[in-house]
Amino acid sequence: MTTANLLEFDLEGLAAFCEKLGEKKFRATQLFRWIHQRGASDFAQMTDLAKSLREKLAGTARVEALPVLSRHESADGTIKWLFDVGDGNAVEAVFIPEDDRGTLCVSSQAGCAVGCRFCSTGHQGFSRNLTAGEIVAQLWFAEHFLRKHLKRDERVISNVVMMGMGEPLQNYSALVPALRTMLDDNAYGLSRRRVTVSTSGVVPMMDRLGTDCPVALAVSLHAPNDALRDDLVPLNRKYPIAELLDACRRYLAHAPRDFITFEYCMLDGVNDQPEHAQQLIELVRPRGGQGGVSCKFNLIPFNPFPASGLLRSPQPRVLAFAKALSEAGIVTTVRKTRGDDIDAACGQLAGDVKDRTRAAERMAQRRLTEHTVAMHPARRAAAAPDVQEH
Ligand code: SAH
Ligand code: SF4
């Protein structure tokens, strides 16, 4: 008999599952705490649950993490895990420690269908959506691993950013229960302000998120006009900039923060010129009857990969761009890259996977190899946005 993986459920889902077993709803809260707060996966450990319930659970349910293909730790404390999600697909989660917070960058899909020009995940195409349990499993595993590893009793991960592989708003039905588990006081108890969904601009789903589960929002803008954005972020052809900015304004009415973070990947000679900065300023400043968009900009150093045909903007140009935005009154940060030394190990990581992979799985191998290129280093830098409390 197949058993249910309890990592799939938010508290409401777990309560429904318990009711089906003929158990009182409040048992779900106890169970939820054991799983997420204590990191328990063995029902026998859950001593305050009746023995009869533990036995019932053992026959019908499981708490199953994702198999870890590899873990790499940087000298600066950044840790990345590559998780196996079956059929030769792997996804990555990255922990970025800072003085006042610990951020986990989480994946939402194996591959991505949006196909942005500067993104290696986009180049590799779409494999499948992760389930809610597979999204939560990245946090569950990382949090409890880190507590042991760092010998800490209290919470290590204070922030989650959905900036790993995939477009979270194209996996909405799994994203929402996963977010609810992250926010739940009986699980991780993360503040809405410290959970960030990053999107390339799936306008209808931004509206739904604002109603269903408002968390901090980052929008991958990357271009100041439709002609350029159509080319860099193909989803722009469906939801052009004006519609995207309207969706941002609507989202702000629900958002836990009073600004949207715009991510802007600096591409040499493509979107990094002074006129692009001016166009951005015009886009977000109030005009005529139209209100502006309350926002901050994060300029991301591009992580080049050969198939993109694109290059990273030189640092002086990035700084000049940042200065232009700042002088127009827009709070702008330039992301620092983290964990550069483990990026160097990316090739090795792909090699490890290859060694263990049978020849018949060559396709899968290729995807894994590409993926290890996909996330670094700038995307990891992208995973450390300004999600600090103010
Ligand atoms: N699909 C979502 C979230 C995942 S991508 C989105 O696009 O927002 C997370 C961030 O990494 C996005 O801002 C994305 O534009 C950026 N990114 C992707 N590839 C990159 C690269 N090669 N260099 C720098 N940033 C990159
Ligand atoms: Fe997908 Fe985001 Fe990469 Fe674009 S940047 S292809 S939306 S993961």
Side-chain angles (χ1 to χ4, degrees):
M1 191 181 75
T2 56
T3 55
N5 186 359
L6 301 186
L7 292 181
E8 295 293 340
F9 298 128
D10 58 10
L11 185 54
E12 203 182 313
L14 196 60
F17 181 81
C18 285
E19 275 193 309
K20 265 197 259 159
L21 293 181
E23 293 289 334
K24 294 265 175 352
K25 265 189 170 179
F26 76 90
R27 293 283 173 216
T29 307
Q30 281 176 298
L31 186 53
F32 204 56
R33 286 188 182 154
W34 270 108
I35 297 169
H36 296 289
Q37 292 186 340
R38 317 265 306 252
S41 55
D42 180 358
F43 300 121
Q45 251 182 293
M46 304 179 184
T47 40
D48 60 350
L49 299 181
K51 194 151 177 269
S52 58
L53 171 57
R54 281 185 266 151
E55 282 166 1
K56 252 191 253 178
L57 287 169
T60 53
R62 66 189 196 285
V63 179
E64 191 182 348
L66 291 169
V68 177
L69 287 170
S70 65
R71 169 168 60 91
H72 284 242
E73 196 166 340
S74 158
D76 69 15
T78 302
I79 302 179
K80 66 170 180 182
W81 292 271
L82 188 67
F83 294 103
D84 186 357
V85 293
D87 298 327
N89 292 309
V91 297
E92 202 162 30
V94 180
F95 173 67
I96 306 124
E98 283 170 282
D99 291 344
D100 57 343
R101 59 187 155 159
T103 302
L104 189 72
C105 174
V106 170
S107 294
S108 58
Q109 299 178 312
C112 182
V114 177
C116 300
R117 255 186 70 194
F118 51 84
C119 174
S120 185
T121 306
H123 278 246
Q124 116 188 33
F126 176 68
S127 292
R128 71 167 174 87
N129 278 328
L130 298 188
T131 66
E134 288 169 330
I135 297 172
V136 168
Q138 297 168 61
L139 175 58
W140 184 79
F141 180 86
E143 173 65 34
H144 296 292
F145 171 90
L146 289 165
R147 282 190 206 175
K148 277 190 218 111
H149 191 64
L150 305 173
K151 298 188 177 56
R152 284 197 13 204
D153 294 331
E154 77 281 25
R155 185 168 76 182
V156 178
I157 296 168
S158 58
N159 297 53
V160 167
V161 291
M162 299 300 304
M163 291 187 185
M165 234 173 147
E167 169 47 59
L169 293 186
Q170 287 190 337
N171 186 14
Y172 192 78
S173 60
L175 176 71
V176 169
L179 292 177
R180 289 194 173 131
T181 298
M182 294 174 193
L183 299 174
D184 201 305
D185 283 339
N186 292 298
Y188 303 90
L190 297 180
S191 146
R192 284 182 190 281
R193 298 154 59 88
R194 290 170 171 265
V195 174
T196 302
V197 167
S198 175
T199 181
S200 54
V202 191
V203 163
M205 294 301 153
M206 288 166 66
D207 285 324
R208 284 185 62 186
L209 188 70
T211 313
D212 295 342
C213 192
V215 291
L217 188 69
V219 171
S220 294
L221 194 56
H222 306 307
N225 60 64
D226 283 326
L228 190 50
R229 197 165 189 271
D230 281 353
D231 182 44
L232 295 175
V233 183
L235 193 66
N236 196 67
R237 296 174 205 152
K238 199 162 179 193
Y239 306 114
I241 293 176
E243 285 183 32
L244 178 58
L245 296 186
D246 279 344
C248 290
R249 288 186 195 94
R250 292 193 295 273
Y251 194 87
L252 281 168
H254 305 274
R257 292 176 169 271
D258 57 4
F259 61 89
I260 303 280
T261 302
F262 287 125
E263 295 164 275
Y264 198 93
C265 181
M266 298 293 289
L267 303 165
D268 185 19
V270 175
N271 64 355
D272 62 350
Q273 301 299 306
E275 66 264 27
H276 296 127
Q278 288 313 314
Q279 288 173 25
L280 286 176
I281 294 163
E282 288 308 311
L283 272 184
V284 301
R285 106 175 353 152
R287 264 178 307 169
Q290 178 81 284
V293 182
S294 168
C295 65
K296 292 187 177 183
F297 268 81
N298 261 309
L299 305 182
I300 313 172
F302 171 56
N303 172 36
F305 59 100
S308 70
L310 299 162
L311 296 171
R312 183 185 287 194
S313 303
Q315 186 71 351
R317 208 176 302 146
V318 176
L319 295 178
F321 204 89
K323 190 161 172 267
L325 296 180
S326 300
E327 282 176 358
I330 303 170
V331 176
T332 305
T333 51
V334 179
R335 281 183 192 158
K336 46 182 196 307
T337 47
R338 295 284 306 262
D340 279 341
D341 52 340
I342 52 174
D343 291 322
C346 273
Q348 268 171 319
L349 182 68
D352 285 350
V353 173
K354 199 149 64 189
D355 290 345
R356 277 190 268 127
T357 312
R358 283 176 285 121
E361 292 170 354
R362 212 167 284 140
M363 269 304 287
Q365 263 178 37
R366 197 172 315 137
R367 271 194 236 125
L368 288 174
T369 311
E370 283 177 11
H371 172 60
T372 57
V373 179
M375 293 262 303
H376 311 289
R379 290 191 62 198
R380 229 193 358 275
D386 58 342
V387 283
Q388 245 161 331
E389 300 282 356
H390 295 280

